[in-house]
Structures are given as C-alpha cells and as structure tokens.
Amino acid sequence: AIGAAVSAAGLGVAGGTLSGAAASSAGLAALGGGSLASGGLGMAGGKAVVTTVGAVIGGSTSGSIAKSSSTY
C-alpha cells in the first residue's frame, strides 16, 4: 500500500512496476528522501516519517475523542 501511495504521489517510484516487499521498500525509501547510496535516509527514514505521522494523527484523534466524551 505504501508503494502505491508513493508512486501515486509522484515521488519517483515507478507506478505499477513493483509489488509486494519491493514496493514497500521503494515507498519507504522514497519517503526517507531516497536510498542510502544516493544520500537519503533510506527505509529507516521512511519508517520514521510513517511513525511520526501516525503518532501525530493518533494523538490528535485520541485527544479529540477524550475531549468530546468528557462533555457528556
């Protein structure tokens, strides 16, 4: 899913040519600024981006749920 999302966003991953683990690896590397060989952070950087975004979304969602449930 991450490979398809990155290719749809036009981040340099060839759309439709990769599948499975290769698509996931390429997607994470693209989110991380490119491969380690090209000076990016690679898959580790992509995982950090996904983790950070997930934490921000999860924190804001749980905060709004807690706030709305405390008013009843």
Side-chain angles (χ1 to χ4, degrees), residues 1-9 13-16 18 20 22-28:
I2 189 98
V6 170
S7 66
V13 178
L18 301 175
S24 294
S25 297
L28 288 172

Side-chain angles (χ1 to χ4, degrees), residues 25-66:
S25 297
L28 288 172
L31 288 173
S35 68
L36 293 173
S38 68
L41 296 176
M43 289 176 53
K47 287 179 184 178
V49 169
V50 171
T51 302
T52 302
V53 170
V56 168
I57 292 172
S60 63
T61 303
S62 65
S64 65
I65 290 172

